Short mmCIF file of all heavy atoms in Angstrom, two decimals:
data_model
loop_
_atom_site.label_atom_id
_atom_site.label_comp_id
_atom_site.label_asym_id
_atom_site.label_seq_id
_atom_site.Cartn_x
_atom_site.Cartn_y
_atom_site.Cartn_z
N GLN A 24 22.50 68.46 138.53
CA GLN A 24 22.11 69.83 138.23
C GLN A 24 23.18 70.83 138.66
O GLN A 24 23.45 71.79 137.95
CB GLN A 24 20.77 70.15 138.90
CG GLN A 24 19.62 69.40 138.28
CD GLN A 24 18.31 69.64 139.02
OE1 GLN A 24 18.29 70.26 140.07
NE2 GLN A 24 17.23 69.15 138.46
N ASN A 39 25.85 50.57 133.86
CA ASN A 39 25.99 49.51 134.84
C ASN A 39 27.41 48.98 134.85
O ASN A 39 28.06 48.88 133.81
CB ASN A 39 25.03 48.36 134.54
CG ASN A 39 23.60 48.75 134.80
OD1 ASN A 39 23.31 49.54 135.68
ND2 ASN A 39 22.68 48.19 134.02
N SER A 51 21.96 34.01 138.66
CA SER A 51 21.19 33.31 137.63
C SER A 51 20.66 31.97 138.15
O SER A 51 19.50 31.61 137.93
CB SER A 51 22.06 33.10 136.39
OG SER A 51 21.34 32.47 135.38
N SER A 54 17.82 32.53 140.55
CA SER A 54 16.60 32.89 139.84
C SER A 54 15.87 31.65 139.32
O SER A 54 14.65 31.52 139.47
CB SER A 54 16.93 33.82 138.67
OG SER A 54 15.78 34.19 137.98
N GLY A 67 2.39 21.33 144.78
CA GLY A 67 2.25 20.49 145.96
C GLY A 67 3.01 19.19 145.87
O GLY A 67 2.82 18.28 146.66
N TRP A 84 4.99 23.22 156.36
CA TRP A 84 4.46 24.56 156.57
C TRP A 84 4.16 25.25 155.24
O TRP A 84 3.14 25.91 155.08
CB TRP A 84 5.45 25.38 157.40
CG TRP A 84 5.03 26.82 157.55
CD1 TRP A 84 4.21 27.32 158.51
CD2 TRP A 84 5.40 27.90 156.71
NE1 TRP A 84 4.05 28.68 158.31
CE2 TRP A 84 4.77 29.05 157.20
CE3 TRP A 84 6.21 28.01 155.57
CZ2 TRP A 84 4.92 30.30 156.61
CZ3 TRP A 84 6.34 29.26 154.98
CH2 TRP A 84 5.71 30.39 155.50
N GLU A 87 0.96 24.17 153.74
CA GLU A 87 -0.21 24.68 154.47
C GLU A 87 -0.41 26.18 154.24
O GLU A 87 -1.51 26.69 154.41
CB GLU A 87 -0.06 24.40 155.96
CG GLU A 87 -0.06 22.93 156.30
CD GLU A 87 0.37 22.65 157.74
OE1 GLU A 87 0.73 23.62 158.46
OE2 GLU A 87 0.35 21.47 158.13
N ILE A 90 0.60 30.63 149.63
CA ILE A 90 0.78 32.01 149.16
C ILE A 90 1.90 32.69 149.95
O ILE A 90 2.80 33.31 149.37
CB ILE A 90 -0.54 32.80 149.27
CG1 ILE A 90 -1.54 32.24 148.27
CG2 ILE A 90 -0.30 34.29 149.00
CD1 ILE A 90 -2.92 32.85 148.38
N ASN A 101 15.07 37.20 145.75
CA ASN A 101 15.38 38.46 145.07
C ASN A 101 16.39 39.28 145.87
O ASN A 101 17.25 39.94 145.29
CB ASN A 101 14.11 39.28 144.85
CG ASN A 101 13.35 38.82 143.63
OD1 ASN A 101 13.82 37.98 142.87
ND2 ASN A 101 12.16 39.34 143.46
N MET A 102 16.28 39.26 147.19
CA MET A 102 17.22 39.99 148.02
C MET A 102 18.65 39.47 147.80
O MET A 102 19.58 40.24 147.62
CB MET A 102 16.83 39.86 149.50
CG MET A 102 17.75 40.58 150.45
SD MET A 102 17.34 40.30 152.17
CE MET A 102 17.72 38.57 152.36
N ILE A 103 18.80 38.16 147.77
CA ILE A 103 20.13 37.57 147.58
C ILE A 103 20.63 37.83 146.15
O ILE A 103 21.80 38.16 145.94
CB ILE A 103 20.11 36.06 147.89
CG1 ILE A 103 19.78 35.86 149.37
CG2 ILE A 103 21.46 35.41 147.56
CD1 ILE A 103 19.54 34.42 149.76
N PHE A 113 30.76 53.47 141.60
CA PHE A 113 30.51 54.86 141.25
C PHE A 113 31.84 55.38 140.74
O PHE A 113 32.70 55.80 141.51
CB PHE A 113 30.03 55.66 142.47
CG PHE A 113 29.62 57.06 142.14
CD1 PHE A 113 28.38 57.33 141.59
CD2 PHE A 113 30.49 58.12 142.37
CE1 PHE A 113 28.01 58.63 141.29
CE2 PHE A 113 30.13 59.42 142.07
CZ PHE A 113 28.89 59.68 141.53
N ASN A 143 40.42 70.54 139.46
CA ASN A 143 41.84 70.19 139.35
C ASN A 143 42.14 69.51 138.02
O ASN A 143 43.14 69.81 137.37
CB ASN A 143 42.28 69.28 140.50
CG ASN A 143 42.32 70.01 141.82
OD1 ASN A 143 42.34 71.24 141.87
ND2 ASN A 143 42.30 69.26 142.91
N LEU A 154 51.13 73.69 126.94
CA LEU A 154 52.54 73.36 126.82
C LEU A 154 52.90 73.21 125.34
O LEU A 154 52.12 72.69 124.54
CB LEU A 154 52.86 72.04 127.54
CG LEU A 154 52.79 72.08 129.08
CD1 LEU A 154 53.05 70.69 129.62
CD2 LEU A 154 53.81 73.06 129.63
N HIS A 157 56.67 69.28 121.16
CA HIS A 157 57.95 69.09 120.49
C HIS A 157 57.85 67.90 119.56
O HIS A 157 57.29 66.86 119.92
CB HIS A 157 59.08 68.83 121.51
CG HIS A 157 59.30 69.98 122.44
ND1 HIS A 157 59.94 71.13 122.02
CD2 HIS A 157 58.96 70.17 123.73
CE1 HIS A 157 59.99 71.97 123.06
NE2 HIS A 157 59.40 71.40 124.09
#
Side-chain angles (χ1 to χ4, degrees):
Q24 291 176 353
N39 290 328
S51 182
S54 181
W84 175 87
E87 295 168 357
I90 293 174
N101 279 352
M102 180 184 67
I103 296 171
F113 186 80
N143 290 342
L154 290 177
H157 297 285

